[in-house]
Amino acid sequence: MINRRLASVAAAAGMAMLLSFPIFSTAAKGKPAAKDDGRETCYGCHDEVKALKEGSKHAKLACSTCHDKLKEHLDNSETRPITIIDSALCGKCHKDEYATSMMVDYEAPARKEKGIPGGRSPVMDKLLAPYGFTIEHNEPRGHAFMVTDQFVVDRFAGGRFQYKQRWAGVDQVGKTWDILEDKGPDFKMGETGKAGNPTCIQCKTSDHILKWKFLGDKDPKAKWDRTSDIIAVAKDTHNPVGCIHCHDPHGAQPRIVRDELINQIDKGSTMFARNGATDLKVISFRDGFRKIGVMKKSDSRMMCAQCHVEYACGKGFEFDSGKGVGYEDQRTNHMPLKQVRELLDHYRKLNFYDFKHAVTGARLVKLQHPEAETYAGSVHEKAGVTCADCHMPVMKNKQGKSYKSHMMVRPRSHVKESCQGCHPKWNAEQQLYQIDAIKNYISGKMRKSEYWLGELIDTYAAAKRFGVDEATLAKAREKHEEAHVLWEWWTAENSDGFHNPDLARDSLAASITASKEGVALLNKALEERGKK
Amino acid sequence: MINRRLASVAAAAGMAMLLSFPIFSTAAKGKPAAKDDGRETCYGCHDEVKALKEGSKHAKLACSTCHDKLKEHLDNSETRPITIIDSALCGKCHKDEYATSMMVDYEAPARKEKGIPGGRSPVMDKLLAPYGFTIEHNEPRGHAFMVTDQFVVDRFAGGRFQYKQRWAGVDQVGKTWDILEDKGPDFKMGETGKAGNPTCIQCKTSDHILKWKFLGDKDPKAKWDRTSDIIAVAKDTHNPVGCIHCHDPHGAQPRIVRDELINQIDKGSTMFARNGATDLKVISFRDGFRKIGVMKKSDSRMMCAQCHVEYACGKGFEFDSGKGVGYEDQRTNHMPLKQVRELLDHYRKLNFYDFKHAVTGARLVKLQHPEAETYAGSVHEKAGVTCADCHMPVMKNKQGKSYKSHMMVRPRSHVKESCQGCHPKWNAEQQLYQIDAIKNYISGKMRKSEYWLGELIDTYAAAKRFGVDEATLAKAREKHEEAHVLWEWWTAENSDGFHNPDLARDSLAASITASKEGVALLNKALEERGKK
Amino acid sequence: MINRRLASVAAAAGMAMLLSFPIFSTAAKGKPAAKDDGRETCYGCHDEVKALKEGSKHAKLACSTCHDKLKEHLDNSETRPITIIDSALCGKCHKDEYATSMMVDYEAPARKEKGIPGGRSPVMDKLLAPYGFTIEHNEPRGHAFMVTDQFVVDRFAGGRFQYKQRWAGVDQVGKTWDILEDKGPDFKMGETGKAGNPTCIQCKTSDHILKWKFLGDKDPKAKWDRTSDIIAVAKDTHNPVGCIHCHDPHGAQPRIVRDELINQIDKGSTMFARNGATDLKVISFRDGFRKIGVMKKSDSRMMCAQCHVEYACGKGFEFDSGKGVGYEDQRTNHMPLKQVRELLDHYRKLNFYDFKHAVTGARLVKLQHPEAETYAGSVHEKAGVTCADCHMPVMKNKQGKSYKSHMMVRPRSHVKESCQGCHPKWNAEQQLYQIDAIKNYISGKMRKSEYWLGELIDTYAAAKRFGVDEATLAKAREKHEEAHVLWEWWTAENSDGFHNPDLARDSLAASITASKEGVALLNKALEERGKK
């Protein structure tokens, strides 16, 4: 049992600790570690670590490179060693990768509300009322801001988390609590929400990997679970998503750690299959307390899908009974991995929806950034292109050494590196023009979908006030449920349809059709009402 | 009769044919053609060609420069020669003019929907419902895209015409069917329209000049007429509007070919008159089967007015009876050539409107780009400035040779060439600032007109649902009809009011006033209803 | 009494007069004026001028530098001398300051309507209906345009004031009537207003300082008062706000001249107090006919607050009786100098509001640019930063000489000079990013406030039409009154919240809450209506 324990020891890591590491500097320089660096002792209990590490790119790193208090642990196996999960440690060798992962893209503005004219989702306040996202929902920024952006957003924690340096904090990257402060439980701020929850944090940070049971169930060995106090979890969150989310630290293998993604692939999702199979080996630690999925060949489609998918991560309701679904229920940590046209059916079968619309009472699903699903089946995906090929192209540093950018911004910021490898025929101006054509076209369709959803909502309000019968209203609500999912998918998705323009066009047209049908049946009822 | 026939022979031209031209290369180099190049034989029957050609800039070109299969024709006059109408042929000599006519302006985005916040017509989906333009209506691009943009737009042919190279086709110029493919009659795509019609194509291409009877009436000699199958016409359309739309190929005279423009000027329209007269000589071919209008002095106001006018080109309805008006009716190929304030009266007298508004049922006219009318009477027009002076300024090529740009983009892209000839006092920054001031001001008025049209529609819906009397509703619909024309004119027009800011201001204010009057009378009825 | 008279002599100054000044050229060059330049004679009567002038920076300037017809005045004290108030005179010595004050910022567009998508106040036409600002209300431009922008705006004088050079006048600076022309009283233009009034002009020009009694009351000695014909006042207005608004010409002391600001500070307003006191010495001329407020140390917070405050300057109504309040009432020249949260109470106590909303009939206050109030209590203000530190930073001219910029544009145009003195840590890109983050965030909140105000208005209209009881409607109107002030403050204010993001956020959230409460109580009544 000892080997399982070691793997689950929680990190209390910080930079201070990092600096006091005695063996690290040697190991990190890549000098061959002495055979007697103690790894054999560790391997004695931790055979799954040995399997990952031996023969791998990290084979020569001593265990003490990433683990502290090993002596104490050897003396008494109940004393857990410390696991350093700070990406800065990885950055000692992988300098360019780490540096780019912490870079600020000054082209991506901060706190730019989506629900404004010209924004990503201009009539959001009407279409999503009264959901928490209507309180504040911003255009996305880089990964380095994942945690701080989430914590300061007005819908997360009632406004109690604020920048220490006020607005000068908005472009700071680093440790969460160097940048933010907690104004405390008594802090009051109007028009805020408390919609944060422990599951959604699992996509923002790698800090809780060892403290969270598979799927977030309650467990004595788990510090945090789906029902934990979000404030406490937040205060224990120090880093944005780090290297270990996608790279196994023992052996540098490409991997995924997000529980529900592993679960769904394990249960048979073929979304990431190539030639009928998904290249993922699931390794279980501590009798399934924790699982990782290791790939032979790096496939960023899965790595990115740890977060860039539609998932349920909040409380909701059951479609049939209307009964609430709380965090104790596994449906509050769920990834459908379904395509947009199948999604509503999926949630109806799962018997889960997020909220009722303020005006129509339609049972709506709130969608998250479904980039993985959207991209699946697209022209680029079928051609074998993965997320990293466009978003993390190979760059050269000042010394001329190649590295994979971990800044992960929009490919339009580096069309040369992202596009011209496959498409050398067009120059950057032409490529941007073509990219923009797609975005223009799909944005146009989004705006039309929103117009018709708005018409449906307004016509519903009139119909209800004029006493149109409940059967008609119920049909209109179903149209709303359908039209909503087919629309919101694309405004939640971060490419304005570029990832899959055909699918976007098809889905948005279907949304418009559904809304129009709803409007038509309500108008018919309104007109006939006068004639009876 | 032979001479008439020759002129009407349809082109089956393509680039392949072009290259096989035996006499062309010599002639095109401008060497004096031998007296015995055969023209005298042609002149024997075609005296109107002789009249145009002899003494003109093209006098020395052999007939075989642009016509093939002449020998066969001479052997048997029933065998028609081939007329090459491809602008590339003209481009052999007029290199810069042709090259600029096919240039892509990467500043003008593709498929940018007008009906979005910040777009040209942000609430179009509401104000034009349920007209076809609400399906897809984009900001305009250059002339080289005229045909392909029209064919791929979702409202044209149910979506069956798509780019062969998908989105990489969006900036391709050239032969229509090298760029596009036909997905076939069974292709289905949601939220599309089938609003394309043969008349509207006459403004997009010069390909049908010899196949279309004057005004598009049905005729055994005409391959296409107003009632033709639009898909078949589209497939026979290979080029965007070409040189021969504005320049007579026989003699290089400035000319116009668009039937209804010739018709209206012939019938007495004084829109383009200077000193009381319009410089246009109408030449009739084949007993009026075809007509052209030739000018002594090039006047781009008329050349551009072949397309840049308000015209009816689709099916519609009669104001009095509500009866449908089909393509067999000449009113489906009609140019009013009236100023905005007179337009509604004109259409009421013509007894023709395009569609009924989805909510109010008002009988609305859908307007097309009325640049010619708008510009008429403006300060610039009165000063003798023509379209070409600003949109086609004289440029210099790399060899320092002057040529007239045929790219026809916004003058703001070349303020120096377009404006500073007449206005040397202000630098480009100042001129752009002044231009923008007009556009800002008029755009503001357009947004206000749209707000009030929206208010009128919403108030109408409420009034109708609350049972306001039909007499009041009818008055409100008339206000809507009036306000609509006075507004849409300016959003259809491509200058945001710059062509004639005074007129724009006057018309948009009148639109607002009419809408407000409609709202007021509906609100009055709504309030009084409660008191009865 | 003579000394008082001299000070009140009206200027008929113009540039022509300026050039004929005999003594000026010497004095202006700063050469010591002869002791016998006549000032002692002037001092004989004008002791308050002596007090300001002697020992000051302007001590050596002869009285004739700025005053003409002195000899005639000395001969007969009833003959008034001429006082030159043209800033060009000051500019003879203060070249850079004057030159920058007349500079055009080509980054700030002309006649850009605020009430458009993407504008400062996109749904203004709905929220401010039927107030005059809905006719035309533009994004602000520089001070050099203050008068001409005000006169040509469609809501000011029925459109009768227009640019002489039409749109080429839009970037002209100089004498009002060199740039504008009066189309005369019979000029008609649709959708215009006649909302201009003499009080509002007092913030646009310094021309009337000697012709306007303190607070604008009627007086035989005052050429203009609050009830004067605005057309006549306009025609007597030749310059935008000039040097003498903020600098005493006799002694170069920092000063303020705007009557109601002096009045409110005199009456005890502590808005500009530092350490409990406001550094302002009020000097009265002619038994209180005119007052100025002189500071020991220049404090731009007060100088700018002469105009950049919320003030009532038009006709209105009484809250309790609904009775009209005309220009004879001092409430039509009133500065509350209150913070946003106290403003509605203030106006309720003052018993004054501007207009009733077109749909709800709520009694609304129309707000003006309250930069002074907004800035008061902000982080920057508490740190001792004044308006001039950011908006009028020290620049260097071509000769390397330092001067204070009087262009007064957005600090983002010169972040280096405006921000980096205090914040050297961040580069310009970072600072602009931080500034934009605030503006993004607060703009998002404004758009949300507008959405909810719109919802309130729409729901009110429905409730009224469905016969919801007056008691409920009255409560909803009160919510509207509250929500309106808390919102409009920020769209009237010219920084998108940057001046005080905390206050903006607080106020806008409170606006949303009030609107939501109004919507909720109306919806409740609408639903219960059905059940009775």
Side-chain angles (χ1 to χ4, degrees), chain B residues 14-27:
Chain B
M15 286 304 288
M17 187 165 307
L18 192 68
L19 301 173
S20 64
F21 246 59
I23 311 175
F24 172 69
S25 57
T26 314

Side-chain angles (χ1 to χ4, degrees), chain A residues 203-220:
Chain A
C203 272
K204 307 290 177 190
T205 185
S206 314
D207 285 7
H208 307 308
I209 284 180
L210 303 173
K211 307 174 191 174
W212 177 265
K213 189 181 175 179
F214 193 65
L215 299 178
D217 290 332
K218 227 178 169 55
D219 190 287

Side-chain angles (χ1 to χ4, degrees), chain A residues 216-234:
Chain A
D217 290 332
K218 227 178 169 55
D219 190 287
K221 289 175 291 189
K223 184 168 180 191
W224 308 119
D225 62 66
R226 291 191 308 270
T227 68
S228 297
D229 173 39
I230 180 58
I231 301 299
V233 175

Side-chain angles (χ1 to χ4, degrees), chain A residues 379 426 429-430 433-434 438 440-441 445 447-448 451 462 466 501-502 505 509 512-513 516 523 526 529, chain B residues 106 108-111 113 116-117 125-126 134-136 141 154 165-168 171 189-192 465:
Chain A
V379 169
W426 302 295
E429 184 181 43
Q430 291 174 307
Y433 188 83
Q434 293 166 6
I438 298 175
N440 290 340
Y441 179 71
K445 301 300 179 195
R447 299 301 85 83
K448 284 184 190 302
Y451 169 72
F466 276 108
D502 287 346
R505 205 249 165 250
I512 294 169
T513 301
K516 283 182 176 175
N523 270 331
L526 274 161
R529 171 197 56 94
Chain B
Y106 283 99
R111 300 196 91 161
E113 176 59 59
I116 59 170
D125 287 347
K126 179 175 191 165
T134 60
I135 289 168
E136 186 184 354
R141 296 200 291 168
D154 286 346
Q165 294 205 42
R166 300 171 50 83
W167 290 93
D171 61 337
M189 201 158 94
E191 294 299 321
T192 55
R465 286 168 183 163

Side-chain angles (χ1 to χ4, degrees), chain B residues 445-482:
Chain B
K445 300 302 180 197
M446 283 196 261
R447 299 301 86 82
K448 284 184 190 304
S449 303
E450 289 151 9
Y451 170 72
W452 281 104
L453 277 162
E455 282 294 286
L456 178 52
I457 291 166
D458 289 349
T459 313
Y460 187 98
K464 198 178 159 200
R465 286 168 183 163
F466 275 109
V468 160
D469 61 292
E470 168 56 22
T472 302
L473 295 178
K475 274 185 216 157
R477 286 198 301 271
E478 284 201 10
K479 289 292 171 192
H480 187 185
E481 290 162 7
E482 192 184 332

Side-chain angles (χ1 to χ4, degrees), chain C residues 394-412:
Chain C
V394 174
M395 302 282 199
K396 293 214 166 173
N397 68 11
K398 282 179 185 170
Q399 291 75 42
K401 198 190 139 202
S402 291
Y403 69 95
K404 229 176 171 59
S405 170
H406 279 61
M407 196 179 178
M408 292 167 278
V409 295
R410 299 172 305 165
R412 59 180 305 124

Side-chain angles (χ1 to χ4, degrees), chain A residues 16-36:
Chain A
M17 188 168 306
L18 193 68
L19 300 174
S20 64
F21 247 58
I23 310 174
F24 172 70
S25 57
T26 313
K29 277 174 193 149
K31 284 185 191 168
K35 260 294 169 201
D36 59 351

